[in-house]
């Protein structure tokens, strides 16, 4: 029986590899040959046309860089699924549990040992992809981070994720052992306070592990931002900046945290390369999210998707273990070595739901843009801010449909620039190209 299960596992593994290979070829054709994201004729020569504010070299690098990143995204996610499947089919997960349980009788220590072994394997197997992403970003001038600094962030990531995963998995499998039928509901109920807690501590505990945060040095700009926040009836006392220039050339600003730990944060790259009015527009955009309560809608949407996802995961795990448990080397769902199956199913569900969640996010971003224009009344600064954001990150302004569905939480820059320019009836023809275009 054991030998028969191993033979089927080998066949299943081979079929999975073949399907993955076919998928990779299909995605390669789609990304590199299935459409070039050309600018609609009606938008050529407008402020939204990247040819009007990017040099020929920047346009070339943007197209090349975007295609590689998009291909990597669509390949890396299913590759991770394949890794989970292989770990199960080879019996590695069950072996890790045997090793961990042989060392101690303490359940929490067993969980920690099992998770450490699994995490190390995943880190090693997925490391080449993560390193290539780093190398790619460096090659195209986006990242300024040294290898040692990147590795340091990777090690921090490993231990932060390990700690949070250990807490979640220990509670999760305790619930499964207590109630094999309703564990998904109890897990979801605990997700609510846990999500809020993580959002509360993120700005003051987790984020400072990676970068230094300090009050905005430019007090004149801080006064302008706080005045803008007062106009929007947003309680804010401080604006923070973060030292990102040593890691990236990209620009960003955001609002993070909840309650008393909420923060307005500006990257120093943004402060160094945007004008005050452009920064104020970005801040007004972030304030739009606050005013329209997008963070709370986001939490509600996340919790709803989590509820559906956990319920579907429980049904899928039960069915798969009943039907293919002998092949996947899983005896019962309450054994921690079923974790790769849990991760596999949840990852697939998360990927499948991303077009919907991204669509909602894009709608909210559009609303925030509209709010910022209404608050600032300065569409010219909005246009130039978006143009500089595009240039700094070599962003793809008009992605292919699947790329937009699965990757874009913000509207493509082509849409954002044209809409904010159109909002107040700004002349759509672009000004003379920048000096670098000459």
């Amino acid at each position: 029986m054991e030998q028969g299960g191993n033979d089927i596992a080998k066949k299943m593994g081979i079929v999975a590899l073949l399907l993955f290979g076919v998928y990779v070829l299909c995605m390669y054709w789609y990304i590199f040959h299935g459409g070039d994201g050309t600018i609609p004729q009606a938008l050529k020569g407008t402020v939204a046309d990247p040819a009007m504010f990017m040099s020929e070299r920047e346009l070339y690098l943007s197209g090349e860089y975007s295609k590689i990143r998009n291909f990597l995204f669509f390949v890396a996610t299913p590759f991770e699924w394949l890794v989970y499947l292989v770990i199960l089919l080879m019996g590695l997960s069950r072996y890790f549990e045997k090793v961990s349980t042989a060392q101690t009788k303490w359940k929490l220590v067993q969980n920690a040992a099992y998770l450490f072994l699994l995490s190390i394997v995943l880190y090693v197997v997925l490391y080449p992809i993560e390193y290539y992403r780093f190398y790619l970003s460096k090659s195209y001038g986006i990242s300024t981070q040294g290898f040692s600094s990147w590795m340091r962030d990777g090690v921090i990531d490993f231990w932060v994720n390990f700690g949070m995963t250990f807490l979640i998995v220990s509670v999760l499998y305790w619930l499964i052992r207590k109630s094999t039928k309703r564990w998904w509901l109890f897990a979801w109920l605990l997700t609510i306070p846990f999500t809020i807690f993580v959002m509360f501590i993120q700005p003051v505990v987790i984020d400072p592990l990676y970068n230094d945060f300090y009050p905005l040095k430019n007090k004149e700009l801080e006064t302008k931002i706080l005045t803008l926040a007062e106009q929007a009836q947003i309680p804010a006392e401080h604006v923070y900046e973060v030292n990102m220039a040593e890691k990236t050339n990209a620009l960003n600003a955001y609002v993070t945290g909840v309650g008393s730990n909420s923060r307005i944060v500006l990257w120093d790259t943004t402060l160094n390369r945007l004008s005050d009015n452009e920064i104020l527009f970005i801040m007004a955009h972030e304030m739009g999210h606050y005013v329209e309560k997008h963070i709370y809608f986001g939490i509600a949407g996340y919790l709803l998707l989590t509820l559906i996802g956990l319920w579907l995961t429980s049904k899928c795990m039960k069915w798969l273990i009943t039907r293919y448990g002998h092949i996947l080397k899983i005896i019962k769902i309450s054994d921690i070595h079923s974790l790769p199956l849990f991760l596999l199913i949840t990852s697939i569900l998360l990927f499948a739901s991303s077009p919907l969640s991204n669509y909602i996010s894009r709608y909210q971003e559009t609303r925030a843009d509209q709010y910022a224009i209404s608050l600032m009344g300065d569409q010219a600064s909005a246009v130039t801010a978006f143009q500089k954001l595009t240039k700094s990150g070599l962003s793809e302004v008009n992605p292919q449909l699947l790329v937009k569905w699965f990757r874009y939480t913000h509207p493509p820059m082509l849409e954002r620039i044209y809409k904010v320019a159109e909002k107040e009836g700004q002349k759509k023809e672009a000004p003379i190209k920048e000096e670098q275009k000459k």
Side-chain angles (χ1 to χ4, degrees):
M1 184 68 179
E2 181 72 21
Q3 184 59 42
N6 290 335
D7 290 340
I8 297 174
K10 288 179 183 178
K11 291 179 181 177
M12 186 179 288
I14 292 171
V15 169
L17 284 170
L18 289 174
L19 289 174
F20 178 71
V22 171
Y23 166 81
V24 168
L25 291 174
C26 290
M27 289 311 304
Y28 179 85
W29 179 88
Y30 178 78
I31 297 296
F32 290 96
H33 304 288
D36 55 4
T38 53
I39 307 302
Q41 189 63 39
L43 298 186
K44 286 187 176 180
T46 69
V47 291
D49 184 354
M52 295 296 103
F53 59 87
M54 296 175 75
S55 68
E56 289 183 10
R57 176 167 175 77
E58 286 171 333
L59 287 170
Y60 172 76
L61 291 177
S62 171
E64 192 176 57
Y65 180 58
S66 297
K67 286 180 179 180
I68 296 173
R69 288 178 67 228
N70 292 336
F71 178 68
L72 194 61
F73 168 82
F74 281 105
V75 168
T77 304
F79 177 74
E80 190 173 327
W81 304 343
L82 186 64
V83 172
Y84 291 139
L85 181 61
V86 170
I87 286 173
L88 289 170
L89 294 176
M90 291 180 64
L92 276 177
S93 186
R94 188 170 63 176
Y95 173 73
F96 291 158
E97 184 177 19
K98 286 182 179 178
V99 171
S100 62
T101 54
Q103 305 304 313
T104 178
K105 293 182 179 180
W106 294 90
K107 200 65 181 178
L108 288 177
V109 179
Q110 291 175 359
N111 292 345
Y114 169 84
L115 279 175
F116 181 75
L117 293 172
L118 180 64
S119 299
I120 286 292
V121 168
L122 291 173
Y123 180 84
V124 170
V125 173
L126 299 176
Y127 178 84
I129 294 176
E130 296 304 317
Y131 175 77
Y132 182 70
R133 284 189 172 124
F134 164 71
Y135 169 79
L136 190 68
S137 185
K138 288 278 285 187
S139 300
Y140 283 85
I142 307 299
S143 174
T144 59
Q145 190 173 19
F147 177 76
S148 59
S149 173
W150 176 76
M151 279 297 298
R152 175 183 174 276
D153 283 353
V155 171
I156 293 173
D157 264 340
F158 177 89
W159 287 111
V160 169
N161 291 333
F162 177 81
M164 294 184 69
T165 304
F166 168 70
L167 177 63
I168 293 169
V169 168
S170 295
V171 173
L172 180 68
Y173 277 85
W174 177 77
L175 291 173
I176 292 174
R177 288 192 295 272
K178 292 294 182 181
S179 176
T180 55
K181 291 184 178 180
R182 295 284 184 268
W183 64 267
W184 58 272
L185 180 58
F186 299 131
W188 177 76
L189 291 172
L190 289 176
T191 296
I192 300 173
F194 181 76
T195 300
I196 296 172
F197 173 73
V198 170
M199 292 184 68
F200 183 77
I201 67 168
Q202 177 100 23
V204 294
V205 177
I206 300 176
D207 290 346
L209 294 174
Y210 300 90
N211 300 99
D212 295 325
F213 291 78
Y214 33 83
L216 185 61
K217 297 174 184 176
N218 186 337
K219 295 304 176 185
E220 183 179 347
L221 178 59
E222 182 180 46
T223 299
K224 292 179 181 178
I225 293 172
L226 294 178
T227 300
L228 197 65
E230 187 178 354
Q231 281 181 248
Q233 297 182 334
I234 297 173
E237 296 180 0
H238 298 288
V239 180
Y240 292 84
E241 61 179 284
V242 54
N243 61 329
M244 291 298 296
E246 61 187 33
K247 294 184 178 182
T248 182
N249 283 317
L251 313 178
N252 197 16
Y254 59 91
V255 176
T256 185
V258 291
S260 60
N261 277 357
S262 59
R263 286 184 173 183
I264 299 172
V265 180
L266 282 160
W267 286 11
D268 57 355
T269 52
T270 304
L271 292 166
N272 295 336
R273 292 162 65 181
L274 296 189
S275 68
D276 281 7
N277 284 344
E278 289 165 346
I279 292 171
L280 288 173
F281 169 77
I282 292 174
M283 288 291 93
H285 168 95
E286 297 301 331
M287 292 172 191
H289 287 306
Y290 179 92
V291 170
E292 300 214 351
K293 297 179 172 53
H294 289 163
I295 188 170
Y296 300 106
F297 285 119
I299 292 173
Y302 168 77
L303 291 175
L304 177 61
L305 285 176
T306 301
L307 175 63
I308 297 171
L310 285 170
W311 176 75
L312 286 173
T313 300
S314 70
K315 298 297 181 184
C316 291
M317 286 188 75
K318 183 179 179 181
W319 182 80
L320 287 169
I321 292 173
T322 300
R323 188 176 179 89
Y324 301 107
H326 63 293
I327 300 172
L328 299 173
K329 313 295 190 297
I330 301 174
I331 300 172
K332 52 186 178 179
I333 190 174
S334 58
D335 292 331
I336 197 172
H337 67 259
S338 68
L339 180 61
L341 181 61
F342 176 88
L343 296 174
L344 171 62
I345 294 170
T346 53
S347 180
I348 291 173
L349 292 175
L350 185 64
F351 185 78
S353 67
S354 59
L356 175 61
S357 57
N358 288 346
Y359 174 81
I360 295 171
S361 176
R362 290 194 299 271
Y363 171 77
Q364 292 179 337
E365 295 298 333
T366 299
R367 292 282 298 175
D369 284 346
Q370 293 170 348
Y371 177 86
I373 289 294
S374 299
L375 183 64
M376 291 288 297
D378 184 5
Q379 71 274 15
S381 294
V383 169
T384 54
F386 284 149
Q387 289 174 341
K388 290 178 182 179
L389 285 168
T390 303
K391 286 162 61 72
S392 68
L394 293 178
S395 302
E396 187 176 22
V397 298
N398 192 31
Q400 295 158 293
L401 189 60
L402 285 180
V403 174
K404 179 180 176 180
W405 284 357
F406 283 92
R407 294 207 66 196
Y408 275 60
T409 57
H410 291 61
M413 280 300 187
L414 188 73
E415 297 177 17
R416 297 185 80 180
I417 295 174
Y418 192 73
K419 282 182 179 178
V420 297
E422 192 178 38
K423 176 75 176 174
E424 300 292 334
Q426 178 179 316
K427 187 177 179 181
K428 298 182 180 65
E429 288 74 16
I432 296 173
K433 298 179 185 180
E434 297 178 27
E435 187 67 28
Q436 64 178 355
K437 294 281 290 180
K438 296 178 181 179

